[in-house]
Amino acid sequence: MVSNGDEESGTQVQLPETTTKNSPSPFFRYNSPLVQVILIGVICFCCPGMFNALSGMGGGGQVDHTASNNSLTALYTTFAIFGILGGGIYNILGPHLTLLAGCSSYVLYTSSFLYYNHHHHQAFVILAGALLGVGAGLLWAAQGAIMTSYPPTNRKGTYISIFWSIFNMGGVIGGLIPFILNYHRSEAASVNDGTYIGFMCFMSLGTLLSLAILPACKVVRDDGSRCTNMFYTDVSTECVEVLKLFSNWKVLLMVPAAWSSNCFYPYQFNDVNGALFNLRTRGLNSVFYWGAQMLGSVGIGYIMDFSFKRRRVRGMVGVIVVGVLGTVIWGGGLVNQLRYSSNDLPEKLDFEQSGSHFAGPFVLYFSFGLLDAMFQSLVYWVIGALADDSQILSRYSGFFKGIQSAGAAVAWQVDEHKVSFMSQLIVNWVLTTISYPLLFVLVMLAVKDQ
């Protein structure tokens, strides 16, 4: 191994090592990209995966959505800041401290709802939400760096789909927890303590697993290349590099996609799942919503890696496919929304008792999950195609999550202020539609063929 000092940047450069012909299979080699991506998938299965299941029930499992909406506004406000800063923090602290701090905040957030079940004081829930925003910014910056930079260049779509499938299995399992534990509870009740405790157990496991992630300089691909040539960075370097993102045309073209990619959660979770279905059915719907995400990520992963020989063509085709599917699904959402409003809610649907009336809204909610995974996996593939170095991609991913969280913070307050369901649907549809041509242009101009 040979090292060089880079006096101008203040970083130390490590030249890549080569592996021998008798290297272990990448499926069993701990420092392979595949094992590390699977590991970060399991960590996200335990932490944000369970968080998604909790949020997907509507109101964090509470009858009154006020505490949940306010906590999520606080969460995504701090997330917006620390998402943008997260890439730089990850480059300074490395994966262990970054992920450990991020994962532990999920446990605290869920414990605040356990407290709220007994005392109904919002302050702890809102504070925990703000702290989770800090932690989530760190976790997702680290996750973005790992998922987009560790895989080989020609298999990034496949590795993203592997991660997304494992991660969203957390939402599937997490959806089963409230469904089973609240099967016989009345619609007027919030979820029981055991639901929150079950979520906390998974999140605690994910926090411990975060210590098993390897830094990028120790991960070796099959061809012997490493995921980054840099040992470390410093605060001043990261501050400058993060500021440069705001004038980077490639990053700016992703802003509408980033802003819109979590904006629709309040509408889907509260105004579709929460408004149309009873308590136990919302848990069941969450299972299928996150299960649909697994299918969506596998489908788009195949398109992005195997549909055409040229990478740029695959990217453009992926944008077109997601754009067409998104138009169809949001059109179905419009048809469904014409049936009810926030001032004229229908009788709650139950999967056992509602018969054919249940099928249409259920399929729509399933389709929302499918589209979410395809849309976000597409954006991550585009980010991964813009560079190949862990430190650069951690900044890109952090910026994406920061803008995404700013959009979500606004969206949760929009829902809390009782903006009409129809208005929320139209805004979400328009925002996602705007992002497709911009992503198409970004792929066409910035993605290079292999």
Side-chain angles (χ1 to χ4, degrees):
M1 183 188 305
V2 182
S3 295
N4 264 337
D6 186 345
E7 297 176 359
E8 184 177 348
S9 64
T11 57
Q12 191 171 10
V13 179
Q14 173 184 309
L15 299 180
E17 292 180 344
T18 58
T19 55
T20 65
K21 292 182 179 180
N22 296 322
S23 296
S25 165
F27 287 92
F28 302 101
R29 183 163 53 84
Y30 183 64
N31 67 338
S32 71
L34 179 62
V35 169
Q36 293 299 305
V37 168
I38 289 173
L39 189 54
I40 193 64
V42 174
I43 291 168
C44 289
F45 164 98
C46 292
C47 294
M50 293 296 156
F51 167 83
N52 284 345
L54 178 64
S55 300
M57 292 186 295
Q62 299 292 315
V63 175
D64 184 355
H65 294 181
T66 303
S68 174
N69 283 359
N70 288 334
S71 72
L72 289 169
T73 301
L75 188 163
Y76 286 110
T77 300
T78 54
F79 196 167
I81 298 169
F82 281 86
I84 293 174
L85 298 177
I89 295 172
Y90 169 79
N91 289 339
I92 295 168
L93 298 181
H96 292 154
L97 290 177
T98 305
L99 289 170
L100 186 66
C103 292
S104 59
S105 64
Y106 284 86
V107 184
L108 176 66
Y109 180 75
T110 306
S111 70
S112 72
F113 278 97
L114 181 61
Y115 170 86
Y116 188 80
N117 244 7
H118 297 275
H119 301 286
H120 298 285
H121 297 152
Q122 287 191 43
F124 180 30
V125 181
I126 295 172
L127 175 62
L131 292 174
L132 176 55
V134 176
L138 300 180
L139 183 148
W140 283 105
Q143 174 272 339
I146 292 167
M147 188 176 70
T148 57
S149 68
Y150 284 23
T153 303
N154 63 342
R155 289 294 177 268
K156 290 194 177 186
T158 302
Y159 279 61
I160 290 170
S161 68
I162 290 171
F163 163 82
W164 213 261
S165 296
I166 297 171
F167 157 52
N168 283 298
M169 180 60 73
V172 174
I173 303 299
L176 288 173
I177 293 173
F179 175 66
I180 294 170
L181 295 181
N182 300 278
Y183 189 86
H184 298 293
R185 290 171 68 85
S186 69
E187 174 58 28
S190 299
V191 298
N192 59 17
D193 290 354
T195 303
Y196 294 121
I197 293 171
F199 286 142
M200 290 168 64
C201 290
F202 276 102
M203 291 171 177
S204 298
L205 175 61
T207 303
L208 293 175
L209 286 174
S210 67
L211 298 174
I213 289 288
L214 291 177
C217 62
K218 294 185 178 180
V219 178
V220 182
R221 301 189 182 103
D222 294 346
D223 62 2
S225 64
R226 295 180 183 269
C227 300
T228 184
N229 292 329
M230 303 180 76
F231 269 132
Y232 63 86
T233 187
D234 53 61
V235 175
S236 60
T237 299
E238 287 305 321
C239 288
V240 171
E241 293 301 325
V242 168
L243 288 174
K244 286 181 180 178
L245 294 176
F246 291 90
S247 60
N248 185 325
W249 67 272
K250 299 175 186 177
V251 174
L252 295 178
L253 282 176
M254 290 190 295
V255 167
W259 183 276
S260 64
S261 59
N262 271 186
C263 250
F264 43 69
Y265 282 161
Y267 174 75
Q268 293 176 2
F269 294 165
N270 288 352
D271 306 335
V272 177
N273 198 28
L276 294 180
F277 303 96
N278 64 15
L279 180 63
R280 67 176 186 173
T281 305
R282 291 201 298 271
L284 179 66
N285 289 348
S286 288
V287 172
F288 285 92
Y289 182 93
W290 301 112
Q293 298 238 358
M294 297 168 64
L295 295 177
S297 64
V298 171
I300 195 66
Y302 179 85
I303 291 172
M304 306 313 287
D305 277 354
F306 300 107
S307 57
F308 293 90
K309 184 176 181 180
R310 295 174 58 194
R311 181 165 66 165
R312 185 184 291 121
V313 173
R314 297 198 302 268
M316 291 188 290
V317 170
V319 174
I320 293 171
V321 169
V322 175
V324 171
L325 186 64
T327 301
V328 172
I329 291 173
W330 280 111
L334 176 63
V335 172
N336 178 71
Q337 190 58 70
L338 291 171
R339 298 172 45 247
Y340 70 100
S341 69
S342 55
N343 298 320
D344 183 24
L345 293 174
E347 182 180 350
K348 300 286 186 180
L349 297 172
D350 182 86
F351 74 98
E352 282 189 336
Q353 302 168 3
S354 300
S356 60
H357 298 290
F358 169 76
F362 170 79
V363 171
L364 173 66
Y365 195 65
F366 178 90
S367 300
F368 279 147
L370 188 79
L371 178 62
D372 180 24
M374 296 184 74
F375 185 69
Q376 294 205 55
S377 295
L378 169 68
V379 176
Y380 271 116
W381 182 92
V382 173
I383 291 173
L386 297 179
D388 201 36
D389 186 271
S390 173
Q391 295 199 345
I392 296 172
L393 291 174
S394 68
R395 299 180 194 120
Y396 285 179
S397 299
F399 187 89
F400 168 72
K401 295 303 292 188
I403 300 301
Q404 180 187 67
S405 302
V410 172
W412 284 107
Q413 272 306 293
V414 166
D415 190 66
E416 175 60 24
H417 283 77
K418 313 301 181 186
V419 174
S420 72
F421 295 168
M422 182 62 74
S423 296
Q424 292 188 55
L425 181 148
I426 291 173
V427 168
N428 284 317
W429 191 356
V430 169
L431 284 173
T432 54
T433 301
I434 290 172
S435 67
Y436 298 131
L438 297 180
L439 287 174
F440 190 89
V441 171
L442 179 59
V443 171
M444 186 170 59
L445 298 180
V447 173
K448 297 179 180 179
D449 289 324
Q450 297 160 329

